[in-house]
């Protein structure tokens, strides 16, 4: 029987699901290999059980966490899809403030009060903290990046379909940057997070003329002290450096204790 | 073998005509201040060496390309074979051998020596068919250096500056934007046969002229003769020098991936989505500085400490491979690793530090 | 450069049909393959085995030299390729390259007493030497096999070890570190334990070890305590290997490549390779 | 008379599928009369206001793209314009042209996705695009091919299809490769027959017959069909207002059953998006697009919100032809590396742009050190949502009288999908009280 795969979105820009819909050229062939049983962005179908569940987005409310636990109970493999699911991504920057402060900032004091006291609405509004998926349930694989890399997605699906296991190289972005023979960003005066960021993106931002801002999260065990010292030498203040590390919140939540 | 003397502009035109034979590569500017060994196209800016540093034409002074020219002979993600199933359900496997003609031009002496060393590696023991197939269909037009390309260069110290072996044609800068063109092999001789360049009657005199112009001392020099460096590195086991030089290291592998004599690779298989019975095996550049390099099944890592990996890298260049092949240093002194490392960890400094600690030992 | 002759298929496998596949333990699966041509391997060599489209890995040849083109492998499920191999059945195909590596020269063992020490999966490569040695008792001296594993459920080649033990001049010691409350006819302890008590003609004994890296140090200490010279100890090392032909660099130990000069080394030769037993 | 025997019922559709983001619809009827109808946005908030805090100017366009994957280019461009206006940065004609190409490539992507993947299945009675692979393989193949082309178009211009990185303040960090641009031009040209076929399919769809006149709002530009540039135009007033007036245009307010905010301008609600643009700027459409509108029976002013999908097809034709013309210009003129440096500093600016779903406003304020200290964004969907609920309320009594419960549900969902709402954005909006 073909493996059944399902997609679920939590708090995210839904770009990672789109990145997967972007496999147009191979989409029909993928459908020969797997049955897509839930994909809210493209389908209306729903299914009770599935082999692989892809979770896009961070977990911001208890109702979302409940939904996630339910999904975990219905699947064999659970995959965090993209930076929001892997480490909270940009929205986790709001964790610096309390939930009530955040609500008040966006909706004003009155709405904030109603949202927190009217039981008809509070589950909808009850924002706790922005959490990564692995902070709530066990995660088997992380597909990193904002957005995810379609080749990594294809690799994972193909490997699981073939009865093998996916393998994601545990190496920094610099490796792929050098594979591509790029000029190092430091060479033209800017600074880069490539040395400490989990690769697999083919260094796409550097290929495109930018630098690495670390959307794929910190590689475990990296020499962060050295990186900070280097950025200081390049004239960045500690505020700048913290702001850079927090741009995608990549340094905040490290997926640990799970398969790489 | 014959020699010619002609202007750079003529040589440029000639290089453009060579693309009838196959792809022609030459160092070309990229980004803000770097060079890339790239296919020569109609409007490409080619980075030649100049006789003296007075030329105002830009960009003539090429520093080393980020990726050395030798990498064209074992490209990243190189296909090893592809497979499919025939009507009888049997697998058909076809090795991918690239035997297209290509010309690597503007190869500097350090990179030339590196190609020679890779020839040794790939012919050693069980030869590597994929490398050799490319190599044997490659013509090399090397280009002398009269000034060190940047402050990281130490090619003279490693014995690469005057390297000629492996080149089919050798270009030496001459005054007035001219070049001395020498055929070093039969293949080079043939290539130059109908180029229509003016023969040079005084090849030796021209070479002497260039030699006199060469910067002296050329680039950085070790604090001891090369053989002593090799002996010292060979005898350095546990040493605080290793630890000192990895304090700031990211284990990012850049130093491996830009080195012209690093050749380690990883292998990947893949099958096609539209026909899962077909696919290919490829290999990609790997590096011994990367943490997972020596991890085996079950997770045991044979070189978990950064210092052990750094020592491994340096010793391959300056101890083990020299011992195995007797061809001198496997570091050709191109300076790429020190240049590209974002925290300035430089094999040159490490070697000098090892010399210094060896001296202070009783 | 001077032209060099090469084999275009050096990195391209030949396909071998699986004629027998069965789980030997929960983690190890046994395969018997039929090759198009015999490998003519030496004991202790390995092949690069692959599933096309999934990957390739070094796997020890676990049978003695044979002429019928059959090959036996024992594969532990540890990662992406070996996981997929565990789904293979008789009739499926595996890609095979090789044989690679130094292996053992049978002639060196002639007339000598041989002590085999196998830890876990280490028995698989050793079996390629034990088989021919046990098969020709007149050619070799006394054979002792110490084989250890975690629990009785993890033991490999049990029946075959029992059969070897019945041969004259063959002594087999089977150990587990934990019986796990399963029926167990062997001993409990580490493979190092029996060495001190072994009857051993030190001058005429060769020891051959294969097991996880942690095992070697302790076994060697015991052997040294018995006075066995380092030149009489052979060790089968494991390293990451991607090519088998000394090019990928992963298996390099100091100045040697494990896939070419190894994976079997004489322990005395390892003294110049400080990284060998890390 | 209702086809459904039971005239008293409640329909609740949670997690409406095939829309961006999470919305739910609740309708209660008693004795054939609609008692209550509520369109709720149940998307979790992502508190974007908390994250622009302290960011440097060039980081803003890069990061705010993360508000929404499908409109990432629109957010990036609106933010670029707002930040440039705050810092007084000039944008060269070359960069402007590249930005227009980038924007139109994304409009192509997004409209194709919505028409083929989200809307057409409803009209042919399929739960999704998947069954169509069997029943209408050529349609699916064409959809995938066109979508793929549009994606690669964005990639070649911007560096990748989603969250492109090559555009920044003032222009391009790394210019698009001319060879690749040429390839895209050729492929677009070759795809024009596929666009005709797209028009053909959409022409055959039976669009529900429902009209409710409302106020149509979009950008308007004197020289071109306004997508990247222009002032804000209202069909009610017939006048334009500068983008910086956006607060007086959108007049946002909060309702408790929705995590997205609502908007109104001259009347109780207004509409933005493809239909509003076609209604307001019909004469500036490319002739081929006007022809498509003719073929599709889209006559302006058009008051049927379901026709928004048709207007999207008209815009697909427009963007394809317009992009082709711009690509030709770029290929003729070549691309030159430009100075795009800037110094962060204090300032305040607003930027507006037409994205697939309508007019998008961004506003930023920077302190003396050039760090962001105030941000706001008003997203098309939060402008539309009020109008959608009103459409639903207007249509529902007729639906309840004439249709089965399943059909009611379907028609409500179709209406939501026709607007092509981007619910993710509407909740991911930015807003902070400004400290002046
Ligand atoms: C000479 C020799 C003989 C051998 N003989 C046998 C034999 O007879 N039978 C047998 O079963 N095995 C044998 N092996 C071991 C066998 O080669 C490995 O088990 C096999 O390579 C595993 O491949 P895999 O693709 O299944 O695992 P992989 O997916 O490659 O993973 C294997 C392990 O490597 C580690 N790993 C892989 N990639 C990474 C990474 N990127 N980062 C961190 N860790 C990583 C993990 O710990 C994982 O558990 C032998 C090895 C050698 C060198
Ligand atoms: S640009 Fe960044 S990723 Fe690339 S080599 Fe430099 S530090 Fe590494
Ligand atoms: S390039 Fe520098 S930081 Fe990176 S691994 Fe090499 S020595 Fe370490
Ligand atoms: S070790 Fe460094 S200097 Fe030596 S050849 Fe390699 S890259 Fe060049």
């Amino acid at each position: 029987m073909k493996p059944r795969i399902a997609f679920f979105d939590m708090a995210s820009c839904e770009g990672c699901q789109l990145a997967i819909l972007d496999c147009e050229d191979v989409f029909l062939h993928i459908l020969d290999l797997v049955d897509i049983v839930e994909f809210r962005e493209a389908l209306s179908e729903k299914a009770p059980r599935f082999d692989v569940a892809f979770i896009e987005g961070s977990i911001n409310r208890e109702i979302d966490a409940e939904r996630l636990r339910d999904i975990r109970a219905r699947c064999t493999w659970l995959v965090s899809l993209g930076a929001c699911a892997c480490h909270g991504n940009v929205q986790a920057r709001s964790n610096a403030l309390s939930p009530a402060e955040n609500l008040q900032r966006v909706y004003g004091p009155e709405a904030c009060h109603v949202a927190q006291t009217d039981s008809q609405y509070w589950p909808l509004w009850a924002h706790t903290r922005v959490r990564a998926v692995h902070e709530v349930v066990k995660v088997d694989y992380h597909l990193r990046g904002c957005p995810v890399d379609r080749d990594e997605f294809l690799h994972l699906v193909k490997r699981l379909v073939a009865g093998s296991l996916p393998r994601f190289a545990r190496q920094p972005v610099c490796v792929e940057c050098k594979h591509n023979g790029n000029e190092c960003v430091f060479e033209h005066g800017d600074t880069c997070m490539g040395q400490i960021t989990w690769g697999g993106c083919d260094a796409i931002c550097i290929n495109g003329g930018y630098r690495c801002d670390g959307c794929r999260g910190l590689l475990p065990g990296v020499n962060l002290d050295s990186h900070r010292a280097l950025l200081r030498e390049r004239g960045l203040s500690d505020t700048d450096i913290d702001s850079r590390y927090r741009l995608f919140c990549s340094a905040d939540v490290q997926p640990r204790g799970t398969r790489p | 073998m014959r020699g010619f003397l002609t202007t750079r502009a003529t040589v440029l035109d000639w290089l453009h005509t060579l693309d009838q034979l196959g792809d022609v590569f030459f160092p070309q500017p990229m980004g803000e201040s770097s060079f890339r060994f790239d296919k020569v196209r109609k409007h490409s800016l080619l980075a030649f060496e100049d006789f003296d540093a007075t030329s105002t034409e830009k960009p003539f002074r090429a520093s080393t390309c980020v990726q050395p020219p030798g990498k064209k002979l074992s490209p990243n993600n190189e296909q090893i074979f592809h497979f499919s199933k025939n009507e009888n359900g049997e697998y058909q496997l076809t090795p991918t051998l690239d035997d297209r003609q290509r010309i690597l031009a503007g190869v500097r002496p350090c990179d030339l020596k590196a190609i020679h060393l890779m020839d040794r590696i790939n012919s050693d023991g069980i030869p590597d068919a994929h490398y050799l197939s490319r190599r044997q269909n490659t013509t090399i037009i090397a280009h002398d250096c009269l000034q060190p390309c940047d402050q990281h260069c130490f090619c003279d110290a490693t014995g690469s500056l005057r390297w000629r072996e492996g080149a089919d044609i050798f270009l030496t800068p001459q005054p007035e934007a001219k070049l001395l063109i020498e055929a070093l092999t039969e293949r080079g001789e043939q290539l130059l046969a109908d180029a229509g360049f003016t023969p040079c009657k005084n090849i030796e005199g021209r070479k002497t002229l260039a030699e006199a112009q060469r910067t002296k001392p050329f680039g950085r020099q070790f604090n001891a003769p090369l053989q002593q460096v090799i002996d010292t590195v060979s005898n350095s086991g546990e040493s605080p020098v290793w630890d000192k030089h990895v304090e700031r290291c990211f284990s990012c592998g850049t130093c491996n991936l830009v080195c012209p004599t690093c050749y380690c690779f990883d292998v990947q298989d893949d099958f096609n989505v539209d026909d899962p019975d077909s696919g290919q095996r490829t290999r990609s550049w790997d590096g011994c500085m990367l943490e997972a390099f020596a991890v085996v099944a079950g997770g045991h890592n044979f070189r978990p400490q950064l210092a052990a990996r750094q020592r491994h890298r340096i010793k391959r260049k300056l101890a083990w491979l020299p011992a195995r092949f007797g061809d001198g240093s496997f570091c050709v002194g191109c300076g790429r690793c020190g240049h590209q490392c974002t925290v300035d960890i430089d094999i040159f400094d490490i070697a000098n530090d090892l010399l210094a600690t060896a001296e202070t030992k009783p | 450069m001077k032209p060099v002759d090469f084999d275009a298929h050096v990195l391209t496998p030949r396909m071998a049909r699986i004629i027998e596949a069965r789980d030997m333990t929960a983690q190890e699966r046994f395969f018997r393959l039929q090759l198009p041509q015999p490998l003519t391997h030496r004991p202790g060599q390995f092949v690069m085995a692959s599933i096309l489209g999934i990957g390739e890995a070094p796997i020890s040849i676990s049978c003695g030299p044979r002429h019928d083109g059959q090959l036996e492998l024992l594969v532990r499920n540890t990662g992406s390729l070996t996981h997929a191999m565990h789904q293979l059945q008789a009739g499926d195909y595996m890609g095979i390259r090789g044989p690679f590596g130094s292996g053992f020269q049978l002639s060196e063992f002639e007339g000598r007493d041989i002590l085999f020490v196998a830890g876990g999966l280490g028995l698989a490569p050793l079996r390629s030497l034990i088989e021919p040695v046990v098969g020709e008792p007149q050619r070799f001296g006394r054979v002792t096999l110490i084989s250890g594993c975690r629990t009785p459920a993890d033991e490999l080649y049990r029946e075959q070890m029992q059969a070897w033990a019945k041969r004259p001049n063959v002594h087999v010691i089977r150990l587990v570190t934990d019986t796990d409350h399963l029926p167990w006819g062997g001993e409990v302890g580490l493979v190092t334990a029996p060495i001190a008590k072994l009857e051993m003609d030190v001058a005429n004994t060769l020891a051959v070890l294969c097991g996880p890296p942690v095992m070697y140090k302790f076994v060697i200490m015991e052997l040294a305590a018995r006075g066995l010279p380092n030149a009489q100890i052979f060790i089968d090392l494991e390293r990451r290997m991607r090519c088998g032909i000394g090019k990928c660099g992963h298996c390099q130990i100091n100045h040697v490549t494990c896939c070419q000069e190894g994976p079997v080394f004489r322990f005395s030769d390892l003294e110049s390779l400080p990284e060998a037993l890390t | 008379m209702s086809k459904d025997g039971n005239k008293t019922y409640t329909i609740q559709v949670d997690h409406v599928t095939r829309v961006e983001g999470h919305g739910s619809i609740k309708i209660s009827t008693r004795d054939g009369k609609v008692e209550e109808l509520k369109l709720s946005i149940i998307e979790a908030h992502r508190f974007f206001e908390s994250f622009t805090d302290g960011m440097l100017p060039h980081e803003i366009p890069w990061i705010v793209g993360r508000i929404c994957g499908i409109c990432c280019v629109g957010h990036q461009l609106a933010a670029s314009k707002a930040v440039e206006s705050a810092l007084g940065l000039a944008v060269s004609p070359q960069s402007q042209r590249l930005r227009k190409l980038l924007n139109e490539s994304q409009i192509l992507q997004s409209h194709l996705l919505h028409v083929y993947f989200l809307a057409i299945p409803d009209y042919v009675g399929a739960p999704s695009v998947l069954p169509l692979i069997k029943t209408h393989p050529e349609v699916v193949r064409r959809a995938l091919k066109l979508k793929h082309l549009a994606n690669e178009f964005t990639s070649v211009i911007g560096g990748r299809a989603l969250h492109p990185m090559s555009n920044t303040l003032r222009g391009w960090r790394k210019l698009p490769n001319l060879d690749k641009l040429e390839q895209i031009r050729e492929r677009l040209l070759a795809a024009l027959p596929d666009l005709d076929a797209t028009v053909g399919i959409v022409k055959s769809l039976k669009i529900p017959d429902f009209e409710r006149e409302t106020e149509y709002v979009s950008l308007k530009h004197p020289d071109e069909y306004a997508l990247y540039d222009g002032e804000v135009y209202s069909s009610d007033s017939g006048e334009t207002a500068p983008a910086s007036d956006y607060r007086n245009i959108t007049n946002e307010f909060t309702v408790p059953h929705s995590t997205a905010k609502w908007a109104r301008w001259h009347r109780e609600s207004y509409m933005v998006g493809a239909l509003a643009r076609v209604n307001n700027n019909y004469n500036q459409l490319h002739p081929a697009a006007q022809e498509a509108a003719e073929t599709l029976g889209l006559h302006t002013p058009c008051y049927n919100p379901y026709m928004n999908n048709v207007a999207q097809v008209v815009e697909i034709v427009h963007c394809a032809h317009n992009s082709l013309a711009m690509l030709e210009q770029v290929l003729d003129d070549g691309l030159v590396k430009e100075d795009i440096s800037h110094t962060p500093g204090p300032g305040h600016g607003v930027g507006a742009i037409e994205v697939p779903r309508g007019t998008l406003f961004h506003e930023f304020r920077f302190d003396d050190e050039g760090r962001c200290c105030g941000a706001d964004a008003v997203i098309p969907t939060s402008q539309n949502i009020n109008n959608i609920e009103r459409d639903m309320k207007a249509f529902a009594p007729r639906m309840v009288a004439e249709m089965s419960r399943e059909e009611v549900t379907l028609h409500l969902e179709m209406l939501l999908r026709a607007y092509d709402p981007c619910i993710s954005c509407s909740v991911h909006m930015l807003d902070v009280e400004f400290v002046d």
Side-chain angles (χ1 to χ4, degrees), chain D residues 71-229:
Chain D
C71 328
C72 56
V73 166
H75 283 288
Q76 185 179 94
L77 294 179
S80 299
K81 287 174 78 173
V83 176
E84 281 153 359
S85 135
L87 302 185
L89 303 176
V91 181
S92 72
Q94 170 178 299
S95 300
Q96 301 232 18
R97 190 181 284 163
L98 288 175
R99 288 213 180 143
K100 286 179 186 171
L101 279 166
L102 192 63
N103 194 32
E104 294 192 12
S105 75
Q106 177 140 72
I107 293 178
L108 280 172
Q109 259 196 57
S110 169
H111 280 359
L112 283 164
L113 179 81
H114 277 91
V115 171
Y116 274 104
F117 283 51
L118 312 186
I120 287 183
D122 283 334
Y123 286 99
V124 300
S128 76
V129 73
L130 293 190
L132 299 189
I133 294 168
K134 290 219 175 62
T135 55
H136 303 69
E138 72 303 336
V139 175
V140 176
R141 216 160 281 133
R142 183 177 323 114
L144 293 173
K145 178 183 154 197
L146 287 173
K147 175 82 172 49
H148 189 53
L149 171 57
N151 274 344
E152 295 205 348
F153 186 7
T154 313
S155 296
V156 167
I157 306 269
R160 73 174 156 199
L162 275 156
H163 304 314
M165 75 302 282
S166 295
N167 166 56
T168 182
L169 298 179
R170 299 195 60 197
W172 257 246
R173 294 181 164 112
K174 184 174 172 188
L175 291 167
N177 177 304
L178 289 175
D179 294 344
K180 290 191 180 153
L181 282 180
E182 173 60 34
Q183 286 165 15
I184 289 291
R185 192 190 70 87
E186 284 163 15
R187 284 171 62 188
L188 261 181
L189 209 55
L192 291 181
D194 291 316
L195 296 189
D196 294 342
T198 307
V199 171
I201 303 171
V202 172
K203 185 175 157 53
S204 70
L205 304 180
K206 204 183 154 305
I207 309 287
D209 152 40
F210 164 71
E211 285 192 347
R212 186 180 78 87
E213 197 222 340
T214 186
E215 177 181 8
Y216 298 94
V217 174
S218 72
L219 294 186
K220 199 170 193 62
H221 192 278
D223 308 327
E224 60 189 23
Y225 186 79
L227 290 171
Y228 175 72
D229 249 340

Side-chain angles (χ1 to χ4, degrees), chain A residues 173-174 177-178 184-186 192 194-195 206:
Chain A
V173 175
C174 291
C177 192
K178 289 300 143 224
C184 180
V185 161
F186 285 89
C192 185
Q195 308 105 316
I206 300 120

Side-chain angles (χ1 to χ4, degrees), chain B residues 248-256 289 310 313 337 340-343 345:
Chain B
R248 297 204 54 191
C249 176
F250 298 117
S251 200
C252 73
T254 291
C255 47
N256 294 132
M289 288 303 289
Q310 185 70 272
R313 172 173 84 98
C337 57
Q340 297 293 336
C341 174
T342 51
V343 285
I345 298 168

Side-chain angles (χ1 to χ4, degrees), chain B residues 63-355:
Chain B
S63 106
T64 47
C65 300
V66 173
Q67 283 299 348
K71 297 279 183 195
K72 296 281 178 235
L73 302 172
S74 41
N76 189 40
N77 280 335
E78 171 187 19
Q79 194 178 88
I80 298 173
F81 66 82
H82 55 94
F83 66 91
S84 55
K85 255 189 187 166
N86 67 12
E87 317 79 69
N88 306 330
E90 290 157 349
Y91 279 109
Q92 309 281 185
L93 286 74
T94 319
T96 319
L97 293 189
D98 183 349
D99 56 3
R100 289 172 299 178
Q101 290 293 321
R102 79 192 73 217
I103 295 165
L104 303 185
V107 175
R108 304 305 144 109
C110 58
D111 290 335
L112 183 64
K113 180 176 182 198
I115 292 175
H116 164 77
L117 294 173
M118 290 307 99
D119 293 348
R120 295 289 313 271
I121 295 275
N122 286 293
S123 318
D124 182 47
I126 305 175
D128 186 305
H130 305 269
Y131 175 91
L132 290 171
S133 171
R134 273 203 194 77
R135 177 66 181 99
Q136 294 179 356
N137 290 294
T138 299
T139 306
I140 296 181
I141 303 177
H143 192 317
D144 207 356
C145 292
L146 300 185
Q147 296 107 44
C149 49
D150 59 24
Q151 72 273 28
H152 292 278
C153 161
F154 59 106
C155 62
D156 191 25
T158 56
S160 330
L161 177 58
R162 289 176 181 78
W163 195 267
R164 297 291 178 271
E165 195 177 339
D168 298 291
I169 293 173
F170 201 87
L171 309 178
T172 312
Q174 294 291 314
E176 294 157 354
K178 284 191 173 151
L179 287 164
L180 171 68
I181 307 160
E182 291 173 89
L184 299 189
T185 63
E186 205 49 54
R187 195 192 288 216
E189 188 82 28
Q190 277 169 18
L191 207 60
L192 288 170
D194 358 285
F197 297 143
T198 326
C200 175
K201 293 184 197 75
N202 184 10
I203 299 180
E204 288 313 310
R206 286 288 172 176
K207 284 204 226 171
T208 318
L209 190 67
E211 190 55 50
Q213 186 65 23
R214 212 193 287 279
T215 308
K216 289 184 193 67
F218 194 94
R220 300 185 291 175
Q221 302 292 330
F222 289 128
N223 294 337
L226 180 60
Q227 192 53 51
Q228 193 181 327
V229 173
I230 292 180
D231 293 343
T232 307
V233 174
S234 304
N235 295 326
S236 308
E238 299 297 326
S239 161
V241 172
W242 305 122
D243 297 312
K244 174 183 152 196
H245 284 275
V246 293
E247 259 168 38
R248 297 204 54 191
C249 176
F250 298 117
S251 200
C252 73
T254 291
C255 47
N256 294 132
L257 293 160
V258 297
C259 176
T261 63
C262 271
Y263 53 87
C264 296
F265 58 84
D266 199 6
V267 175
Q268 300 84 20
D269 271 42
D270 202 4
F271 59 85
N272 301 326
V273 234
D274 52 348
D275 172 15
D277 284 330
S278 70
Q280 63 281 322
R281 182 167 296 165
T282 50
R283 54 178 169 185
S284 57
W285 304 335
D286 206 344
C288 60
M289 288 303 289
L290 297 169
E291 198 199 353
F293 186 79
V295 173
V296 293
H300 183 77
N301 188 349
F302 283 97
R303 257 176 247 113
Q305 312 86 356
L306 201 38
R309 299 202 288 278
Q310 185 70 272
R311 182 177 62 208
H312 182 78
R313 172 173 84 98
I314 308 293
K315 285 199 148 193
R316 275 182 76 131
K317 306 289 163 195
L318 289 169
W320 298 325
L321 293 176
R324 189 180 176 111
F325 290 93
D327 235 341
S329 170
F330 262 64
C331 167
V332 296
C334 70
R336 284 188 179 87
C337 57
H339 181 162
Q340 297 293 336
C341 174
T342 51
V343 285
D344 303 320
I345 298 168
D346 195 326
I347 187 171
F348 176 86
D349 300 331
I350 299 175
N352 270 342
D353 267 9
L354 288 169
L355 283 171

Side-chain angles (χ1 to χ4, degrees), chain A residues 22 24 40 102 107 207 240, chain D residues 18 50 151 174 259 371:
Chain A
D22 283 355
E24 303 95 359
R40 198 190 50 80
N102 278 314
Y107 300 99
N207 302 347
D240 293 333
Chain D
R18 284 185 286 131
S50 303
N151 274 344
K174 184 174 172 188
T259 49
R371 294 197 175 276

